[in-house]
Amino acid sequence: MKGEKRASQNTICSYLRDITQFSAFLEERGSALRTAEPDDIRDCMDWMGARGKSSASVTRFLASVKSFYNFLLLDGTLEISPAKGVSAAKVERRYPEVLTSREVELFLDQPQCVDAKGFRDHAMLELLYATGIRVSELTTLNLEDLNLAAGFLRCASKGKERMIPLYRGAVKALQDYVWKVRPQLVAEEGEEALFVNMNGERMSRQGFWKLIKHYQEKAGIEKEITPHTLRHSFAVHLLENGADLRSIQEMMGHADISSTQIYTHVVKQNLKDVYQKAHPRA
């Protein structure tokens, strides 16, 4: 690619950063560079805008992505570029969608604990909202990462390890699953995965995404819910209830505090919306 473009070292480094960032974004959604769609690129650009990235940065990102997919076309890896027709003419600054506390409660209540699947799904959703971990981190958790006696989860990602506390309801849901249900589900006695599918093998990102969509429809919530929606909601609700940014940054595994600061804008916007609706002279 460098030879094709005859680009400077700085330009190549920028390309690599952009493509690496896009790859990580796709991984959160259970997708990958070779299976990305136009909406994935547009959503990533919106996400960058929500984090305060300038229009120039977003435009450069799109140029990097288009160059990458053009290279795959020339290489014969792909037949159609998902970046074709995607424009950065207008980058809308949009903040992450979050659920209200009532919507979270409704959503988490959807799995019915009457069979193995219900207990497992309830435990997964409670854990995701309790910790704010990424879906890629959820599906790679092993049984040994859970310390129910202490009420903590160990999450290792990108070469770093963090400990995240669990609220009582999440501990109870995990106890029911781990002690009563998981032994019946695992295909092999030595299975390490914390969460397994109905075949007894490690739960996949794609499988978990399907569960999220199923329970969103069941709850009748109109907002688009993804695993990342629960991650955003986790951060905003902590911030609204007095948690400091540094603690939230640590629990979420953000390398840069700027990634966490976006949630202060969400809280301010929520307060503004409440004011506009509630103040008699607004």
Side-chain angles (χ1 to χ4, degrees):
M1 187 171 178
K2 181 176 181 179
E4 293 283 343
K5 298 286 292 184
R6 289 188 174 86
S8 69
Q9 187 61 42
N10 286 340
T11 301
I12 294 298
C13 288
S14 295
Y15 280 159
L16 289 174
R17 278 197 303 271
D18 290 336
I19 299 306
T20 300
Q21 176 178 270
F22 186 44
S23 178
F25 179 84
L26 290 170
E27 184 179 347
E28 294 281 358
R29 306 175 71 132
S31 186
L33 289 169
R34 293 190 181 187
T35 57
E37 298 181 356
D39 281 346
D40 291 319
I41 300 172
R42 295 187 184 98
D43 288 348
C44 189
M45 290 160 62
D46 286 342
W47 173 76
M48 291 175 67
R51 290 184 63 200
K53 296 295 183 181
S54 67
S55 294
S57 294
V58 178
T59 300
R60 190 206 66 214
F61 163 82
L62 180 58
S64 299
V65 170
K66 286 192 172 186
S67 293
F68 173 75
Y69 283 116
N70 285 340
F71 174 77
L72 293 186
L73 288 176
L74 291 171
D75 189 51
T77 304
L78 292 180
E79 294 183 358
I80 301 175
S81 169
K84 184 179 180 180
V86 178
S87 171
K90 183 179 179 182
V91 179
E92 180 183 354
R93 179 161 294 190
R94 194 170 67 190
Y95 296 125
E97 179 106 274
V98 298
L99 301 176
T100 64
S101 296
R102 178 70 189 99
E103 286 171 334
V104 168
E105 185 179 344
L106 176 63
F107 185 66
L108 297 185
D109 281 346
Q110 292 312 303
Q112 299 299 303
C113 296
V114 295
D115 55 19
K117 185 178 183 301
F119 276 103
R120 183 205 62 186
D121 294 354
H122 180 59
M124 283 194 294
L125 296 185
E126 287 281 3
L127 180 63
L128 199 65
Y129 178 64
T131 60
I133 61 175
R134 304 171 178 91
V135 64
S136 56
E137 294 170 335
L138 178 80
T139 55
T140 55
L141 287 175
N142 290 329
L143 190 60
E144 64 180 11
D145 294 321
L146 200 58
N147 188 331
L148 291 175
F152 273 89
L153 174 76
R154 180 182 65 186
C155 183
S157 178
K158 300 178 181 178
K160 296 182 179 180
E161 183 177 291
R162 62 191 194 274
M163 301 294 290
I164 312 172
L166 300 167
Y167 54 71
R168 187 177 302 174
V171 171
K172 175 64 168 60
L174 287 161
Q175 285 175 338
D176 289 342
Y177 165 70
V178 170
W179 295 347
K180 303 174 184 177
V181 174
R182 184 181 176 277
Q184 305 170 25
L185 291 179
V186 291
E188 297 182 7
E189 188 174 336
E191 176 62 64
E192 296 180 345
L194 175 58
F195 294 112
V196 296
N197 58 30
M198 300 311 289
N199 292 323
E201 301 168 342
R202 185 179 295 273
M203 172 70 67
S204 68
R205 292 192 298 270
Q206 293 83 355
F208 185 67
W209 266 77
K210 290 178 182 178
L211 291 177
I212 289 282
K213 304 315 294 180
H214 168 72
Y215 289 121
Q216 175 189 344
E217 293 178 6
K218 189 176 177 183
I221 297 174
E222 293 184 1
K223 291 177 182 175
E224 184 72 13
I225 301 178
T226 70
H228 229 64
T229 307
L230 288 178
R231 179 169 163 84
H232 293 321
S233 301
F234 161 85
V236 169
H237 295 168
L238 281 177
L239 198 57
E240 287 178 332
N241 286 282
D244 63 277
L245 276 178
R246 288 292 179 185
S247 297
I248 296 174
Q249 177 191 7
E250 176 67 23
M251 285 185 280
M252 297 190 77
H254 285 157
D256 191 335
I257 190 68
S258 65
S259 297
T260 318
Q261 285 172 334
I262 184 62
Y263 298 115
T264 63
H265 298 294
V266 178
V267 172
K268 288 177 182 176
Q269 185 60 50
N270 288 347
L271 285 174
K272 185 177 179 181
D273 291 343
V274 169
Y275 178 88
Q276 292 293 338
K277 292 178 181 178
H279 198 288
R281 293 181 65 85

